Amino acid sequence: MEANTVIWIFILPLGAFILNGLIGKHLPGRTPGWIAVTAMGAATVITWIEVYRFVRLDEPAFYQHHFFTWLNITARITIKAGVLTDPLSLMMMAVVTTVSLLVFLYSIDYMKGEQGYARFFAFLSLFSFSMLGLVAAPNLIQLYMCWELVGLSSYLLIGFYYQKPEAVAAAKKAFIVTRFADFGFLTGILLLSGITGTIQIEELNHFSGIPDFFSQQATFLGLSSITWAMALIFIGGAGKSAMFPLHIWLPDAMEGPTPVSALIHAATMVVAGVFLVARLFPLYQAFAPQALDFIALIGAFSLLFAAIIACAQTDIKRILAFSTMSQIGYMMLALGAGGYAASLFHLFTHAFFKALLFLGAGAIIHVVHTQHIEQMGGLRKVMPVTHVLFLIACLAIAGIPPFAGFFSKDEILIAVYAHSKVYFAVALTGAALTAFYMFRLYFKVFWHQSKEVHAHPAPVLMMVPMIVLAVASVITGFTGFNLFYPLAGHHDFTVPFTSVIVALTGITTAGVLYLKKREKPEQRPLLYRVVQNKFYIDEVYLFVTKNIIFRSIAFPIAWFDRHVVDGFMNALARVTQSFSQKIKFLQSGQVQQYAWVFMAGAAALIFMLMFIVR
Amino acid sequence: MTGIPVEHLLIFSALMFFIGMYGFLTRKNLVTMLIGIELMLNAVNINLVVIDRFVYPKQTDGLFFAMFVIAVAAAEAAVAIAIFINLYRNIRSVDVEKVNEMKY
């Protein structure tokens, strides 16, 4: 691994961002898109070469290189920008560059003719740069900085249609919610570096347990300080990964353009939380088992919660958003249950099939001009290729062999089974619900009666990435991931057998309910409405912020500021003003009067000097 | 010079100073007020020279101070008279009580 080759992986997307951002507006036609694609393509090639060298040429499994010293804080704590490559970051870099490249390629035609075409590609390149910096970060500070940068690019891209009020609101919501979580992350970093005395990830993962600054035995509410630090870091990850109760931004983030949803809000950025926990996994395992239990709990709850909500949504992208949240719940649960490789395997496969689902949804929206699944139907005749690709992705996420999702979900189920039977039951229920809601979506969109849709074939540039992703969704189950981590073979087929049965049950139920007739009861049951409104979590947040925080805290404080603090200052000003109004007539404009005062003053001074001061 | 005692000289300069001050404070014509100022300045000059001569006969600081005052007084007179002329052109008067535009 050569440092001066690796650095191009970061420079190229950054260069595309700068170029498109500065002069993209003046470039003709689709040139900005091709600039971004070229840069990303080169970065992808370099990444895969590095992966190949890592696999074939027996490069050391761990490699660290610092490009430059960024901040010198103390003699012991210096922050250096650089790369850390180990199987985890190589795997993430491969996923990020590959999915980015395919989504960029797709966007060239998808975004054609949009206002701000160059801006779009500039932001996408910025995102890829930040995400690569994040996954390759050798220390927590660089990781945190890139973490905020991906948050920023996510904000910019959700609000891409900035003339749409919903998009602006969604962008703000995403930024504020994740910012709120990042506060936990930052506190966690400070606490952790206070305990361990280092910010280097590899030193952290080999932490001896001897505290540096203050004792790790220091406890708060019965948990050790290091557990608190790790839990706080997880909260940052939970915000980015849309875990309950910080998930509210993800469905709204679908206001952004569909390729953005595919890249950022499905395949790469939202799994940053999983990556973060995986990055510090040795530390979690050795020092913070309670934090891991917490992660498992949140993951299990989120996966079931999101899966239930996804069953009652009618917006195609929102269904996919909740499904993303549910799948990340699986990854978190697997990490909490100790299934490190299983979790990353699912991250790897999920990136491909979820990106495919979103790109497929984008192709559908491109043709039917609506996101409402009740207004679609019979599309299998209109767009046969997309239909097949979408079906592959649905089967992959539902966990049907031989598609990728089956293998990775299977690994997770085995890991969870060994950990806890309750979580296993939750994960199985989630698997059934996943199959159900995905095929509800599939049947509603592609079957039913045909509609009058002006079918124009999707451009080749949109089809190619989808085909590549579909191939990846099939083969990554067999190969690909074991480049990075060897997976243990299993010979017990109870768990996989159960999971397939469960998934098939879900698909069959969806088929029975949605394949033929379209039920339209006048009065939906109460439970359905509760689920459709996402358990009213948004309303709870609104209630808490509006009624509790604004009414009882913010308004009184604002009143105090306006009337007491400002009032005091205003009173001071008013007294000064009226006093000066009274004495201003001393300024008569008569020079001789002034001279009298002056002389009297001089005389008084002389008198004092002569007789009083001495 | 040897014949005149120092007290006489100091009394003379004090009288001159207060005459100038009286003129400055009571006259309404700006030009006469300026003359009052000149009287005060020259009273100070006499004081400086006398103190130099009788108290520090080996040094010349007082003499140079007096010369500075003369130079500054010349400049001041030039500026003041220029102002008076312009004032007269504007309000047809050099009465100090009419020059009160700069009040509150």
Side-chain angles (χ1 to χ4, degrees):
Chain A
M1 176 148 300
E2 287 293 320
N4 39 11
T5 0
V6 177
I7 197 167
W8 286 100
I9 300 176
F10 308 97
I11 290 179
L12 284 166
L14 183 65
F17 160 63
I18 292 168
L19 197 64
N20 272 336
L22 289 180
I23 60 163
K25 220 162 54 171
H26 309 290
L27 294 173
R30 297 182 294 182
T31 323
W34 283 112
I35 291 173
V37 166
T38 313
M40 207 60 229
T44 312
V45 169
I46 298 171
T47 309
W48 279 104
I49 289 172
E50 295 300 337
V51 170
Y52 176 79
R53 290 170 62 172
F54 163 74
V55 174
R56 290 278 164 248
L57 305 176
D58 299 322
E59 291 266 341
F62 176 85
Y63 168 88
Q64 204 168 1
H65 181 79
H66 292 121
F67 298 134
F68 58 91
T69 303
W70 181 28
L71 289 173
N72 266 317
I73 294 170
T74 63
R76 288 184 54 211
I77 297 185
T78 44
I79 301 169
K80 293 173 181 159
V83 282
L84 165 75
T85 51
D86 59 353
L88 173 61
S89 65
L90 269 180
M91 191 270 282
M92 289 300 291
M93 278 160 77
V95 169
V96 172
T97 50
T98 312
V99 178
S100 292
L101 175 64
L102 294 171
V103 170
F104 283 20
L105 208 56
Y106 178 91
S107 311
I108 285 182
D109 270 348
Y110 186 85
M111 298 301 290
K112 195 173 60 189
E114 295 274 0
Q115 277 279 318
Y117 188 76
R119 181 164 55 94
F120 181 77
F121 281 98
F123 290 164
L124 272 187
S125 302
L126 174 66
F127 168 76
S128 294
F129 162 72
S130 328
M131 193 69 204
L132 287 166
L134 194 161
V135 298
N139 59 58
L140 284 176
I141 304 296
Q142 185 185 336
L143 202 157
Y144 183 72
M145 187 195 77
C146 291
W147 184 273
E148 294 295 350
L149 269 179
V150 291
L152 167 74
S153 3
S154 161
Y155 163 81
L156 291 170
L157 284 164
I158 296 170
F160 179 73
Y161 299 118
Y162 58 86
Q163 281 146 335
K164 241 170 78 182
E166 301 91 37
V168 175
K172 273 198 293 194
K173 192 172 178 182
F175 194 79
I176 292 167
V177 172
T178 51
R179 204 56 272 268
F180 196 69
D182 292 347
F183 175 67
F185 185 19
L186 184 60
T187 324
I189 291 177
L190 295 177
L191 195 54
L192 186 63
S193 56
I195 296 164
T196 59
T198 179
I199 47 162
Q200 295 297 113
I201 284 162
E202 97 341 287
E203 287 172 24
L204 282 171
N205 281 340
H206 295 108
F207 180 49
S208 58
I210 300 158
D212 181 76
F213 183 60
F214 50 80
S215 171
Q216 100 212 35
Q217 270 82 36
T219 57
F220 178 64
L221 296 180
L223 293 171
S224 69
S225 56
I226 195 160
T227 308
W228 276 104
M230 299 318 280
L232 283 166
I233 288 179
F234 166 68
I235 287 172
K240 209 55 124 200
S241 287
M243 290 287 99
F244 181 86
L246 296 167
H247 65 279
I248 49 162
W249 64 272
L250 187 61
D252 289 15
M254 297 300 138
E255 292 292 342
T258 309
V260 171
S261 309
L263 176 59
I264 301 182
H265 305 119
T268 54
M269 188 193 81
V270 286
V271 295
V274 179
F275 166 79
L276 181 64
V277 176
R279 181 90 277 185
L280 297 172
F281 194 69
L283 204 53
Y284 273 104
Q285 235 176 359
F287 296 102
Q290 291 101 325
L292 276 185
D293 291 344
F294 178 59
I295 292 171
L297 178 67
I298 295 287
F301 186 80
S302 300
L303 94 84
L304 202 57
F305 178 81
I308 292 170
I309 294 177
C311 294
Q313 295 299 307
T314 51
D315 182 316
I316 181 167
K317 285 178 74 182
R318 276 171 197 251
I319 295 175
L320 293 177
F322 279 109
S323 123
T324 306
M325 178 183 162
S326 173
Q327 298 304 309
I328 297 170
Y330 270 108
M331 299 172 206
M332 288 291 190
L333 173 59
L335 280 175
Y340 179 75
S343 171
L344 294 178
F345 188 20
H346 198 55
L347 190 162
F348 187 70
T349 56
H350 172 260
F352 295 107
F353 60 69
K354 184 51 66 65
L356 174 57
L357 281 171
F358 267 106
L359 295 188
I364 293 164
I365 296 165
H366 205 63
V367 170
V368 298
H369 300 294
T370 175
Q371 300 193 6
H372 204 274
I373 57 170
E374 302 288 353
Q375 292 166 9
M376 300 172 187
L379 289 177
R380 72 182 189 284
K381 293 192 185 112
V382 180
M383 30 200 332
V385 183
T386 312
H387 166 234
V388 172
L389 298 175
F390 206 84
L391 180 59
I392 290 173
C394 283
L395 288 169
I397 195 174
I400 302 296
F403 299 100
F406 165 72
F407 295 94
S408 54
K409 198 171 278 181
D410 193 41
E411 290 287 335
I412 289 182
L413 287 172
I414 289 167
V416 173
Y417 186 72
H419 182 72
S420 151
K421 301 288 174 288
V422 180
Y423 286 155
F424 180 68
V426 170
L428 263 191
T429 319
L433 285 170
T434 307
F436 174 74
Y437 66 71
M438 283 319 298
F439 276 84
R440 169 176 174 266
L441 170 68
Y442 166 75
F443 286 131
K444 282 205 171 198
V445 172
F446 289 102
W447 293 73
H448 288 312
Q449 74 277 26
S450 198
K451 284 221 171 176
E452 300 297 315
V453 176
H454 308 291
H456 51 88
V460 181
L461 277 180
M462 278 168 64
M463 295 316 291
V464 169
M466 289 169 65
I467 292 167
V468 174
L469 283 171
V471 171
S473 302
V474 179
I475 62 165
T476 45
F478 299 102
T479 179
F481 184 70
N482 45 16
L483 294 177
F484 307 102
Y485 289 98
L487 288 164
H490 302 289
H491 301 291
D492 180 12
F493 289 101
T494 328
V495 172
F497 193 68
T498 325
S499 82
V500 172
I501 294 288
V502 160
L504 285 175
T505 316
I507 295 174
T508 318
T509 319
V512 168
L513 284 178
Y514 299 107
L515 184 55
K516 281 276 175 270
K517 67 179 172 63
R518 184 182 296 212
E519 103 284 24
K520 271 223 175 114
E522 292 298 312
Q523 186 63 44
R524 300 277 197 184
L526 177 70
L527 183 66
Y528 183 89
R529 274 180 287 139
V530 170
V531 173
Q532 193 174 27
N533 287 305
K534 306 162 211 158
F535 290 100
Y536 296 103
I537 297 289
D538 279 293
E539 282 74 10
V540 170
Y541 269 97
L542 214 59
F543 177 79
V544 169
T545 49
K546 266 228 174 87
N547 287 1
I548 298 176
I549 298 180
F550 289 177
R551 289 257 166 79
S552 22
I553 301 172
F555 286 164
I557 290 175
W559 184 90
F560 181 82
D561 183 56
R562 207 163 294 141
H563 291 93
V564 180
V565 179
D566 285 6
F568 176 71
M569 290 301 160
N570 287 343
L572 208 62
R574 212 167 295 127
V575 168
T576 314
Q577 199 186 15
S578 57
F579 184 67
S580 60
Q581 281 290 347
K582 297 261 156 45
I583 61 165
K584 74 176 182 183
F585 299 103
L586 290 177
Q587 298 285 332
S588 61
Q590 296 295 338
V591 179
Q592 283 172 326
Q593 208 174 354
Y594 300 164
W596 269 111
V597 175
F598 174 75
M599 299 295 178
L605 207 61
I606 290 165
F607 179 79
M608 269 165 62
L609 285 172
M610 285 175 74
F611 300 107
I612 298 176
V613 180
R614 305 288 263 161
Chain B
M1 198 112 107
T2 47
I4 307 170
V6 67
E7 294 84 3
H8 291 194
L9 288 167
L10 289 181
I11 288 166
F12 169 67
S13 79
L15 278 174
M16 198 166 142
F17 183 84
F18 285 107
I19 289 166
M21 192 166 126
Y22 177 80
F24 181 76
L25 291 176
T26 54
R27 290 315 180 105
K28 299 298 170 201
N29 189 315
L30 281 168
V31 179
T32 22
M33 281 171 73
L34 183 66
I35 293 169
I37 291 173
E38 293 296 328
L39 274 177
M40 283 194 280
L41 284 171
N42 283 314
V44 171
N45 280 345
I46 290 169
N47 233 356
L48 286 170
V49 172
V50 168
I51 298 295
D52 184 74
R53 172 73 183 76
F54 285 93
V55 185
Y56 302 106
K58 299 272 165 60
Q59 293 172 5
T60 54
D61 300 22
L63 298 180
F64 280 100
F65 262 123
M67 277 188 207
F68 270 119
V69 173
I70 291 164
V72 172
E76 175 246 322
V79 173
I81 287 165
I83 291 172
F84 297 161
I85 291 169
N86 272 308
L87 197 67
Y88 185 77
R89 282 185 184 155
N90 280 311
I91 63 171
R92 293 277 147 201
S93 161
V94 284
D95 187 344
V96 73
E97 288 190 331
K98 290 191 177 146
V99 189
N100 58 359
E101 292 296 305
M102 300 287 275
K103 67 183 172 189
Y104 39 88

